[in-house]
Amino acid sequence: MNRQILRLAIPSIVSNITVPLLGLVDVAITGHMGNARYMAAIAVGSMVFNIIYWLFSFLRFGTGGLTAQAYGKLINKRARFLAEQGGRVDTLAEPDFSGCCNVLLRAHLTSFMLALALMLFHTPLFHAVMWIIAPGEDLLPTVHTYYNICIWGTFPSLALYAFTGWFVGMQNTKIPMIVSITQNIVNILLSLLFVYAFGMKIEGVALGTVLAQWTGMLMACIMLRWRYGDMWRGIKVRSAIKLGEMRRFFSVNSILFYRTLFLVAVNLYFIVIGAKGGAEILSVNSVLMQMFMLYTYVMDGFAYAAEALCGKYYGAKDSPSFRLALRGVWRWSLLLTLLFTIAYAAGGSTFLRLLTDEPQVRLAAVVYLPWAVLIPLCGVGTFVWDGVFIGLTDTKGMLIGTFAGAAAFFIINFLPQPFNFQFSIFNILSSNHTLWLAFNAYLLMRSITQQIIWQKVWKNKLI
């Protein structure tokens, strides 16, 4: 089981690590254009599309859980057939992958409709988001240029969510890793070509991003045809859009969409309140958040493994294997959490020096460093249970957990100052300490709530 977990987790971790590399290259390119507004425009424009894609990330998670269960049901059906035939392989019929294939067809139909809606209403959407973010008037034309080009990448980006979820559900995280690495390399090369060889500015960075997104989708199609081409024979679109199955697909994904709204609300509030503390606090929070993101890149890999394996064994009605997979993911997650906690506690100051040369930012960050050290301990259950619940397609449980975490986050932030958990050990006299306390409470409450749901609803059913 450990081999299966690592086989799924390690490629996902590699894929995650390539994501910040792309952002660093974009910043580096715009940082040498001779005008600071290009960097700011990239930051604002990227935030816009990050929010859009984050809101529709249910395509990735819903597709993954449903596919893993369909794959597990296929395994269960083949096992029962073999048992009935006395183990005679020569009598085994060709496997019916229609259940797995239909999930991907539904996901792509949904991604096409969502992308079409975004394209049709991209102008009012832009003005609405700019009203919320409120960048300087001098930035708006540059941001608008970047936005108008990058909007053409919405369909391949949403389609890649569906592809990634489907491949994970099929117990294959190597293909998403290959696609992600290819996409990022193409993005970097094209952005450098357009900016430095063709003399383009923000348009070159945006065009490189869009062409890389289409390249990633094309690569996913090629890998699908190469690895899974045989199973698509005889698959009909009509069978994928049956009312009952479409209703279940949209039910699972609509709940995930509502859950994502709470995630976005927490993260946006964290950014906005940090910005109100001034440039120094905003820089401190950005640096410390990198410690959370580094932990996230690793833990997401094991969440994907939990999603794929638990979904497969739940669909196959194989409780013993489900139990082994769950225990294995927990063991690896707790081990890594312990290592991250020790590393952050012992080497947090060194890590801060690697991230910034500004002495004032480093000194201020050390004051808030204990909150970053607590993040792995508070967040480990969040990642494990999210993976398990996606595999079970228990999106309601995920929604309840995220709501509880968001409620804890906002309650702590809105408590009157005298009651705001002012522990002398951390000298919590500023709203930024409160903000970090609330963020850790948000992660911990999600973990606790989903643990309770597991104990009350699922444990007796599966173990």
Side-chain angles (χ1 to χ4, degrees), residues 201-349:
K201 297 294 185 179
I202 198 77
E203 299 89 344
V205 178
L207 187 58
T209 298
V210 171
L211 292 178
Q213 289 166 333
W214 282 96
T215 301
M217 191 186 75
L218 178 62
M219 174 66 73
C221 292
I222 293 172
M223 299 299 282
L224 178 72
R225 178 69 181 86
W226 167 70
R227 179 66 178 81
Y228 301 100
D230 292 342
M231 72 171 57
W232 288 83
R233 294 172 183 168
I235 300 297
K236 298 179 181 179
V237 176
R238 184 180 300 176
S239 64
I241 58 175
K242 290 181 179 178
L243 184 60
E245 292 300 322
M246 287 297 293
R247 185 183 294 117
R248 186 192 177 207
F249 183 84
F250 283 116
S251 174
V252 167
N253 286 293
S254 62
I255 295 173
L256 284 172
F257 175 78
Y258 297 134
R259 168 186 174 268
T260 306
L261 290 177
F262 289 113
L263 297 177
V264 172
V266 168
N267 283 273
L268 277 179
Y269 186 87
F270 190 95
I271 294 171
V272 170
I273 295 302
K276 288 184 177 180
E280 182 178 295
I281 291 297
L282 185 61
S283 299
V284 165
N285 288 352
S286 176
V287 168
L288 291 178
M289 190 54 71
Q290 296 308 308
M291 300 174 74
F292 170 66
M293 295 307 298
L294 180 61
Y295 177 69
T296 298
Y297 296 145
V298 175
M299 291 306 300
D300 268 345
F302 289 91
Y304 289 177
E307 168 192 342
L309 293 172
C310 291
K312 179 179 72 172
Y313 293 130
Y314 176 65
K317 300 181 180 179
D318 185 351
S319 294
S321 295
F322 186 101
R323 180 173 63 251
L324 287 174
L326 180 59
R327 288 179 177 176
V329 170
W330 263 113
R331 280 196 298 267
W332 281 105
S333 299
L334 290 173
L335 174 61
L336 288 165
T337 295
L338 178 62
L339 293 176
F340 267 97
T341 302
I342 293 173
Y344 285 169
S349 299

Side-chain angles (χ1 to χ4, degrees), residues 34 62 92 130 232 292 419:
L92 188 61
M130 289 302 101
W232 288 83
F292 170 66
F419 303 99

Side-chain angles (χ1 to χ4, degrees), residues 162-220:
F163 271 124
T164 300
W166 193 81
F167 287 133
V168 171
M170 296 296 291
Q171 318 298 295
N172 188 333
T173 55
K174 289 183 180 179
I175 290 180
M177 177 187 71
I178 294 170
V179 171
S180 179
I181 292 174
T182 302
Q183 180 179 345
N184 286 322
I185 291 175
V186 169
N187 196 341
I188 292 169
L189 293 177
L190 289 180
S191 295
L192 290 171
L193 176 69
F194 292 145
V195 172
Y196 292 110
F198 296 160
M200 302 171 73
K201 297 294 185 179
I202 198 77
E203 299 89 344
V205 178
L207 187 58
T209 298
V210 171
L211 292 178
Q213 289 166 333
W214 282 96
T215 301
M217 191 186 75
L218 178 62
M219 174 66 73

Side-chain angles (χ1 to χ4, degrees), residues 4-258:
Q4 290 189 63
I5 292 171
L6 293 177
R7 179 177 59 82
L8 291 166
I10 292 175
S12 298
I13 294 170
V14 174
S15 298
N16 291 337
I17 292 174
T18 64
V19 174
L21 175 64
L22 181 60
L24 287 174
V25 172
D26 283 350
V27 170
I29 292 174
T30 54
H32 290 84
M33 287 184 181
N35 195 319
R37 81 170 187 272
Y38 291 125
M39 287 185 68
I42 283 286
V44 174
S46 298
M47 184 187 301
V48 172
F49 286 100
N50 285 341
I51 293 172
I52 291 173
Y53 296 143
W54 200 2
L55 285 173
F56 298 131
S57 62
F58 60 79
L59 283 168
R60 150 73 187 88
F61 300 115
T63 303
L66 291 169
T67 303
Q69 289 187 15
Y71 186 73
K73 289 177 182 177
L74 173 63
I75 292 174
N76 180 272
K77 183 178 179 180
R78 285 169 63 81
R80 283 190 283 109
F81 184 88
L82 276 173
E84 292 170 359
Q85 298 297 322
R88 291 173 56 195
V89 180
D90 58 318
T91 62
L92 188 61
E94 284 293 318
D96 180 10
F97 286 98
S98 60
C100 301
C101 296
N102 286 340
V103 174
L104 183 58
L105 289 174
R106 294 180 195 113
H108 279 317
L109 177 62
T110 305
S111 65
F112 175 77
M113 291 189 298
L114 289 173
L116 182 62
L118 289 171
M119 291 295 298
L120 290 174
F121 298 102
H122 73 279
T123 299
L125 177 64
F126 175 79
H127 292 299
V129 176
M130 289 302 101
W131 179 78
I132 295 172
I133 299 176
E137 290 293 329
D138 58 324
L139 284 181
L140 278 178
T142 311
V143 175
H144 195 232
T145 298
Y146 180 84
Y147 174 88
N148 280 343
I149 296 173
C150 286
I151 195 69
W152 292 97
T154 50
F155 174 67
S157 294
L158 296 180
L160 278 171
Y161 275 146
F163 271 124
T164 300
W166 193 81
F167 287 133
V168 171
M170 296 296 291
Q171 318 298 295
N172 188 333
T173 55
K174 289 183 180 179
I175 290 180
M177 177 187 71
I178 294 170
V179 171
S180 179
I181 292 174
T182 302
Q183 180 179 345
N184 286 322
I185 291 175
V186 169
N187 196 341
I188 292 169
L189 293 177
L190 289 180
S191 295
L192 290 171
L193 176 69
F194 292 145
V195 172
Y196 292 110
F198 296 160
M200 302 171 73
K201 297 294 185 179
I202 198 77
E203 299 89 344
V205 178
L207 187 58
T209 298
V210 171
L211 292 178
Q213 289 166 333
W214 282 96
T215 301
M217 191 186 75
L218 178 62
M219 174 66 73
C221 292
I222 293 172
M223 299 299 282
L224 178 72
R225 178 69 181 86
W226 167 70
R227 179 66 178 81
Y228 301 100
D230 292 342
M231 72 171 57
W232 288 83
R233 294 172 183 168
I235 300 297
K236 298 179 181 179
V237 176
R238 184 180 300 176
S239 64
I241 58 175
K242 290 181 179 178
L243 184 60
E245 292 300 322
M246 287 297 293
R247 185 183 294 117
R248 186 192 177 207
F249 183 84
F250 283 116
S251 174
V252 167
N253 286 293
S254 62
I255 295 173
L256 284 172
F257 175 78
Y258 297 134

Side-chain angles (χ1 to χ4, degrees), residues 334-405:
L334 290 173
L335 174 61
L336 288 165
T337 295
L338 178 62
L339 293 176
F340 267 97
T341 302
I342 293 173
Y344 285 169
S349 299
T350 303
F351 188 74
L352 293 176
R353 285 196 293 271
L354 293 174
L355 292 177
T356 177
D357 293 328
E358 294 293 331
Q360 289 183 329
V361 174
R362 287 207 309 265
L363 288 172
V366 169
V367 177
Y368 301 99
L369 184 59
W371 297 118
V373 174
L374 287 174
I375 281 177
L377 294 173
C378 293
V380 58
T382 300
F383 293 97
V384 175
W385 289 125
D386 274 358
V388 173
F389 278 41
I390 290 170
L392 295 170
T393 59
D394 183 7
T395 51
K396 289 183 180 179
M398 295 177 69
L399 175 61
I400 293 170
T402 307
F403 172 78

